[in-house]
Short mmCIF file of all heavy atoms in Angstrom, two decimals:
data_model
loop_
_atom_site.label_atom_id
_atom_site.label_comp_id
_atom_site.label_asym_id
_atom_site.label_seq_id
_atom_site.Cartn_x
_atom_site.Cartn_y
_atom_site.Cartn_z
N ILE A 11 -9.89 26.66 4.79
CA ILE A 11 -9.15 27.88 5.13
C ILE A 11 -7.92 27.96 4.23
O ILE A 11 -7.20 26.96 4.09
CB ILE A 11 -8.72 27.87 6.61
CG1 ILE A 11 -9.92 27.58 7.52
CG2 ILE A 11 -8.06 29.19 7.00
CD1 ILE A 11 -9.54 27.29 8.96
N TYR A 12 -7.68 29.11 3.63
CA TYR A 12 -6.51 29.26 2.77
C TYR A 12 -6.20 30.74 2.59
O TYR A 12 -7.06 31.60 2.78
CB TYR A 12 -6.74 28.61 1.41
CG TYR A 12 -7.90 29.19 0.63
CD1 TYR A 12 -7.72 30.27 -0.24
CD2 TYR A 12 -9.18 28.66 0.75
CE1 TYR A 12 -8.78 30.80 -0.95
CE2 TYR A 12 -10.25 29.18 0.05
CZ TYR A 12 -10.04 30.25 -0.81
OH TYR A 12 -11.09 30.78 -1.51
N ASN A 13 -4.94 31.03 2.23
CA ASN A 13 -4.57 32.38 1.85
C ASN A 13 -4.56 32.49 0.33
O ASN A 13 -4.74 31.48 -0.37
CB ASN A 13 -3.21 32.77 2.43
CG ASN A 13 -2.09 31.93 1.86
OD1 ASN A 13 -2.18 30.70 1.81
ND2 ASN A 13 -1.02 32.58 1.43
N THR A 14 -4.39 33.67 -0.20
CA THR A 14 -4.44 33.87 -1.65
C THR A 14 -3.11 34.48 -2.11
O THR A 14 -3.00 35.69 -2.29
CB THR A 14 -5.61 34.78 -2.03
OG1 THR A 14 -5.53 36.00 -1.27
CG2 THR A 14 -6.94 34.11 -1.72
N PRO A 15 -2.10 33.65 -2.34
CA PRO A 15 -0.77 34.16 -2.72
C PRO A 15 -0.71 34.61 -4.17
O PRO A 15 -1.57 34.25 -4.99
CB PRO A 15 0.14 32.94 -2.48
CG PRO A 15 -0.76 31.77 -2.68
CD PRO A 15 -2.12 32.18 -2.21
N ASP A 16 0.33 35.37 -4.49
CA ASP A 16 0.56 35.80 -5.85
C ASP A 16 0.79 34.61 -6.77
O ASP A 16 1.38 33.59 -6.37
CB ASP A 16 1.79 36.73 -5.93
CG ASP A 16 1.56 38.06 -5.23
OD1 ASP A 16 0.38 38.43 -5.06
OD2 ASP A 16 2.55 38.70 -4.85
N LYS A 17 0.32 34.74 -8.00
CA LYS A 17 0.56 33.77 -9.08
C LYS A 17 -0.07 32.41 -8.83
O LYS A 17 0.31 31.42 -9.46
CB LYS A 17 2.08 33.62 -9.34
CG LYS A 17 2.77 34.93 -9.68
CD LYS A 17 4.26 34.75 -9.89
CE LYS A 17 4.93 36.09 -10.19
NZ LYS A 17 6.40 35.93 -10.37
N ILE A 18 -1.04 32.36 -7.92
CA ILE A 18 -1.82 31.14 -7.69
C ILE A 18 -3.29 31.53 -7.63
O ILE A 18 -3.67 32.43 -6.88
CB ILE A 18 -1.42 30.43 -6.38
CG1 ILE A 18 0.03 29.94 -6.46
CG2 ILE A 18 -2.34 29.25 -6.09
CD1 ILE A 18 0.51 29.24 -5.19
N THR A 19 -4.11 30.85 -8.44
CA THR A 19 -5.55 31.09 -8.40
C THR A 19 -6.22 29.91 -7.72
O THR A 19 -5.78 28.77 -7.85
CB THR A 19 -6.13 31.27 -9.81
OG1 THR A 19 -5.85 30.10 -10.60
CG2 THR A 19 -5.53 32.49 -10.49
N ILE A 20 -7.29 30.20 -6.98
CA ILE A 20 -8.02 29.15 -6.26
C ILE A 20 -9.48 29.19 -6.68
O ILE A 20 -10.15 30.21 -6.57
CB ILE A 20 -7.88 29.32 -4.74
CG1 ILE A 20 -6.40 29.21 -4.34
CG2 ILE A 20 -8.71 28.28 -4.00
CD1 ILE A 20 -6.14 29.44 -2.88
N ASN A 21 -9.95 28.06 -7.20
CA ASN A 21 -11.34 27.91 -7.63
C ASN A 21 -11.93 26.73 -6.89
O ASN A 21 -11.60 25.58 -7.17
CB ASN A 21 -11.40 27.70 -9.14
CG ASN A 21 -12.82 27.66 -9.67
OD1 ASN A 21 -13.77 27.86 -8.93
ND2 ASN A 21 -12.97 27.39 -10.96
N GLY A 22 -12.80 27.02 -5.92
CA GLY A 22 -13.31 25.94 -5.08
C GLY A 22 -12.20 25.39 -4.20
O GLY A 22 -11.64 26.11 -3.38
N THR A 23 -11.86 24.12 -4.40
CA THR A 23 -10.76 23.51 -3.65
C THR A 23 -9.53 23.28 -4.52
O THR A 23 -8.59 22.62 -4.09
CB THR A 23 -11.20 22.17 -3.04
OG1 THR A 23 -11.56 21.26 -4.09
CG2 THR A 23 -12.37 22.35 -2.09
N ILE A 24 -9.53 23.83 -5.74
CA ILE A 24 -8.43 23.61 -6.67
C ILE A 24 -7.55 24.86 -6.74
O ILE A 24 -8.01 25.95 -7.09
CB ILE A 24 -8.93 23.25 -8.08
CG1 ILE A 24 -9.85 22.04 -8.04
CG2 ILE A 24 -7.75 22.99 -9.01
CD1 ILE A 24 -9.19 20.78 -7.50
N ALA A 25 -6.27 24.69 -6.39
CA ALA A 25 -5.29 25.77 -6.49
C ALA A 25 -4.42 25.52 -7.71
O ALA A 25 -3.92 24.41 -7.91
CB ALA A 25 -4.43 25.83 -5.22
N THR A 26 -4.23 26.55 -8.53
CA THR A 26 -3.47 26.40 -9.77
C THR A 26 -2.40 27.48 -9.87
O THR A 26 -2.69 28.68 -9.74
CB THR A 26 -4.40 26.51 -11.00
OG1 THR A 26 -5.45 25.54 -10.89
CG2 THR A 26 -3.62 26.26 -12.28
N VAL A 27 -1.16 27.05 -10.11
CA VAL A 27 -0.04 27.98 -10.29
C VAL A 27 -0.06 28.51 -11.71
O VAL A 27 -0.35 27.78 -12.67
CB VAL A 27 1.30 27.28 -9.99
CG1 VAL A 27 2.46 28.26 -10.11
CG2 VAL A 27 1.28 26.64 -8.61
N ASN A 28 0.26 29.78 -11.88
CA ASN A 28 0.30 30.38 -13.21
C ASN A 28 1.18 29.56 -14.15
O ASN A 28 2.32 29.20 -13.81
CB ASN A 28 0.84 31.81 -13.14
CG ASN A 28 -0.16 32.77 -12.52
OD1 ASN A 28 -1.25 32.38 -12.09
ND2 ASN A 28 0.20 34.04 -12.45
N THR A 29 0.64 29.29 -15.33
CA THR A 29 1.34 28.47 -16.32
C THR A 29 1.14 29.08 -17.69
O THR A 29 0.03 29.49 -18.04
CB THR A 29 0.79 27.02 -16.31
OG1 THR A 29 0.88 26.48 -14.99
CG2 THR A 29 1.59 26.13 -17.26
N GLU A 30 2.21 29.13 -18.48
CA GLU A 30 2.13 29.67 -19.83
C GLU A 30 2.94 28.80 -20.78
O GLU A 30 4.12 28.56 -20.55
CB GLU A 30 2.66 31.11 -19.87
CG GLU A 30 2.51 31.78 -21.23
CD GLU A 30 2.94 33.23 -21.21
OE1 GLU A 30 3.29 33.75 -20.13
OE2 GLU A 30 2.95 33.86 -22.30
N ASN A 31 2.25 28.32 -21.83
CA ASN A 31 2.90 27.46 -22.83
C ASN A 31 3.60 26.27 -22.17
O ASN A 31 4.74 25.93 -22.49
CB ASN A 31 3.90 28.26 -23.66
CG ASN A 31 3.24 29.35 -24.47
OD1 ASN A 31 2.11 29.19 -24.94
ND2 ASN A 31 3.93 30.48 -24.63
N SER A 32 2.91 25.64 -21.22
CA SER A 32 3.39 24.44 -20.51
C SER A 32 4.57 24.71 -19.58
O SER A 32 5.19 23.77 -19.08
CB SER A 32 3.78 23.33 -21.50
OG SER A 32 2.66 22.93 -22.27
N ILE A 33 4.88 26.00 -19.36
CA ILE A 33 5.96 26.36 -18.45
C ILE A 33 5.34 26.98 -17.19
O ILE A 33 4.58 27.95 -17.27
CB ILE A 33 6.94 27.37 -19.09
CG1 ILE A 33 7.49 26.81 -20.41
CG2 ILE A 33 8.07 27.69 -18.13
CD1 ILE A 33 8.24 25.51 -20.27
N ILE A 34 5.67 26.42 -16.04
CA ILE A 34 5.11 26.87 -14.77
C ILE A 34 5.98 27.97 -14.18
O ILE A 34 7.21 27.90 -14.23
CB ILE A 34 5.02 25.68 -13.78
CG1 ILE A 34 4.17 24.56 -14.38
CG2 ILE A 34 4.43 26.13 -12.44
CD1 ILE A 34 4.17 23.30 -13.53
N ASP A 35 5.33 28.99 -13.63
CA ASP A 35 6.06 30.07 -12.98
C ASP A 35 6.90 29.52 -11.82
O ASP A 35 6.40 28.72 -11.02
CB ASP A 35 5.07 31.11 -12.45
CG ASP A 35 5.74 32.44 -12.14
OD1 ASP A 35 6.64 32.45 -11.29
OD2 ASP A 35 5.34 33.46 -12.73
N VAL A 36 8.15 29.92 -11.73
CA VAL A 36 9.05 29.38 -10.71
C VAL A 36 9.00 30.16 -9.40
O VAL A 36 9.66 29.79 -8.43
CB VAL A 36 10.52 29.34 -11.20
CG1 VAL A 36 10.66 28.41 -12.39
CG2 VAL A 36 11.03 30.74 -11.52
N SER A 37 8.20 31.24 -9.35
CA SER A 37 8.21 32.06 -8.13
C SER A 37 6.80 32.43 -7.66
O SER A 37 6.51 33.62 -7.45
CB SER A 37 9.04 33.32 -8.33
OG SER A 37 8.52 34.09 -9.41
N PRO A 38 5.90 31.45 -7.49
CA PRO A 38 4.59 31.79 -6.94
C PRO A 38 4.72 32.16 -5.47
O PRO A 38 5.76 31.91 -4.84
CB PRO A 38 3.80 30.49 -7.12
CG PRO A 38 4.85 29.42 -7.04
CD PRO A 38 6.05 30.01 -7.71
N GLY A 39 3.66 32.74 -4.92
CA GLY A 39 3.65 33.03 -3.49
C GLY A 39 3.50 31.75 -2.68
O GLY A 39 3.34 30.65 -3.22
N TRP A 40 3.54 31.92 -1.36
CA TRP A 40 3.47 30.77 -0.46
C TRP A 40 2.02 30.47 -0.11
O TRP A 40 1.34 31.29 0.52
CB TRP A 40 4.28 31.04 0.81
CG TRP A 40 5.72 31.29 0.54
CD1 TRP A 40 6.35 32.50 0.52
CD2 TRP A 40 6.73 30.32 0.23
NE1 TRP A 40 7.69 32.34 0.23
CE2 TRP A 40 7.95 31.01 0.03
CE3 TRP A 40 6.72 28.93 0.08
CZ2 TRP A 40 9.14 30.38 -0.28
CZ3 TRP A 40 7.91 28.29 -0.24
CH2 TRP A 40 9.09 29.00 -0.41
N LEU A 41 1.56 29.29 -0.51
CA LEU A 41 0.18 28.88 -0.25
C LEU A 41 0.11 28.03 1.01
O LEU A 41 0.91 27.11 1.21
CB LEU A 41 -0.35 28.07 -1.44
CG LEU A 41 -1.72 27.42 -1.26
CD1 LEU A 41 -2.81 28.48 -1.10
CD2 LEU A 41 -2.03 26.49 -2.43
N PHE A 42 -0.87 28.35 1.87
CA PHE A 42 -1.17 27.56 3.06
C PHE A 42 -2.65 27.21 3.04
O PHE A 42 -3.47 27.98 2.55
CB PHE A 42 -0.85 28.34 4.34
CG PHE A 42 0.60 28.67 4.53
CD1 PHE A 42 1.16 29.78 3.94
CD2 PHE A 42 1.41 27.85 5.31
CE1 PHE A 42 2.51 30.09 4.12
CE2 PHE A 42 2.75 28.14 5.49
CZ PHE A 42 3.30 29.26 4.89
N SER A 43 -2.99 26.06 3.60
CA SER A 43 -4.40 25.70 3.64
C SER A 43 -4.67 24.77 4.82
O SER A 43 -3.76 24.15 5.39
CB SER A 43 -4.83 25.00 2.34
OG SER A 43 -4.23 23.72 2.23
N SER A 44 -5.95 24.67 5.15
CA SER A 44 -6.41 23.74 6.18
C SER A 44 -7.85 23.36 5.87
O SER A 44 -8.65 24.22 5.49
CB SER A 44 -6.30 24.36 7.57
OG SER A 44 -6.71 23.44 8.57
N LEU A 45 -8.17 22.09 5.98
CA LEU A 45 -9.53 21.61 5.79
C LEU A 45 -9.92 20.84 7.04
O LEU A 45 -9.26 19.87 7.41
CB LEU A 45 -9.62 20.71 4.55
CG LEU A 45 -11.01 20.19 4.21
CD1 LEU A 45 -11.89 21.33 3.68
CD2 LEU A 45 -10.94 19.07 3.16
N LEU A 46 -10.99 21.26 7.70
CA LEU A 46 -11.38 20.60 8.94
C LEU A 46 -12.88 20.71 9.14
O LEU A 46 -13.56 21.53 8.50
CB LEU A 46 -10.65 21.22 10.13
CG LEU A 46 -10.99 22.65 10.55
CD1 LEU A 46 -10.46 22.91 11.95
CD2 LEU A 46 -10.37 23.68 9.59
N ASP A 47 -13.40 19.87 10.02
CA ASP A 47 -14.80 19.91 10.41
C ASP A 47 -14.93 20.66 11.72
O ASP A 47 -14.22 20.36 12.69
CB ASP A 47 -15.37 18.49 10.57
CG ASP A 47 -15.46 17.76 9.24
OD1 ASP A 47 -15.69 18.42 8.22
OD2 ASP A 47 -15.28 16.52 9.23
N ILE A 48 -15.82 21.65 11.75
CA ILE A 48 -16.04 22.45 12.96
C ILE A 48 -17.44 22.17 13.50
O ILE A 48 -18.42 22.28 12.77
CB ILE A 48 -15.86 23.95 12.67
CG1 ILE A 48 -14.44 24.23 12.17
CG2 ILE A 48 -16.14 24.77 13.92
CD1 ILE A 48 -14.16 25.69 11.88
N LYS A 49 -17.50 21.81 14.76
CA LYS A 49 -18.77 21.47 15.40
C LYS A 49 -19.33 22.67 16.16
O LYS A 49 -18.65 23.28 16.97
CB LYS A 49 -18.58 20.29 16.37
CG LYS A 49 -19.88 19.80 17.00
CD LYS A 49 -19.61 18.58 17.88
CE LYS A 49 -20.91 18.04 18.47
NZ LYS A 49 -20.65 16.85 19.34
N PHE A 50 -20.57 23.00 15.86
CA PHE A 50 -21.29 24.06 16.56
C PHE A 50 -22.33 23.42 17.47
O PHE A 50 -23.11 22.57 17.03
CB PHE A 50 -21.98 25.00 15.56
CG PHE A 50 -21.05 25.93 14.85
CD1 PHE A 50 -20.20 25.47 13.85
CD2 PHE A 50 -21.04 27.29 15.15
CE1 PHE A 50 -19.34 26.33 13.19
CE2 PHE A 50 -20.19 28.16 14.49
CZ PHE A 50 -19.33 27.69 13.51
N VAL A 51 -22.32 23.81 18.73
CA VAL A 51 -23.25 23.30 19.72
C VAL A 51 -24.20 24.42 20.13
O VAL A 51 -23.76 25.55 20.43
CB VAL A 51 -22.50 22.75 20.95
CG1 VAL A 51 -23.48 22.22 22.00
CG2 VAL A 51 -21.54 21.64 20.54
N ALA A 52 -25.49 24.13 20.14
CA ALA A 52 -26.49 25.15 20.44
C ALA A 52 -26.23 25.80 21.80
O ALA A 52 -25.92 25.12 22.78
CB ALA A 52 -27.89 24.53 20.42
N ASP A 53 -26.34 27.12 21.84
CA ASP A 53 -26.23 27.92 23.06
C ASP A 53 -24.91 27.72 23.79
O ASP A 53 -24.85 27.78 25.02
CB ASP A 53 -27.40 27.58 24.02
CG ASP A 53 -28.75 27.73 23.37
OD1 ASP A 53 -28.91 28.69 22.58
OD2 ASP A 53 -29.64 26.90 23.61
N THR A 54 -23.85 27.48 23.01
CA THR A 54 -22.55 27.20 23.62
C THR A 54 -21.44 27.90 22.84
O THR A 54 -21.47 27.94 21.61
CB THR A 54 -22.27 25.69 23.66
OG1 THR A 54 -23.31 25.04 24.40
CG2 THR A 54 -20.93 25.39 24.32
#
């Protein structure tokens, strides 16, 4: 689970902040994430 903030791209599980000529943007958006296992039970 994750949001998609400005100046951050997400590919699979990798989030990358915008970078140009080895300089990272100082004002990306706020990224939040969660990784968890969810159990589904039949007919429940």
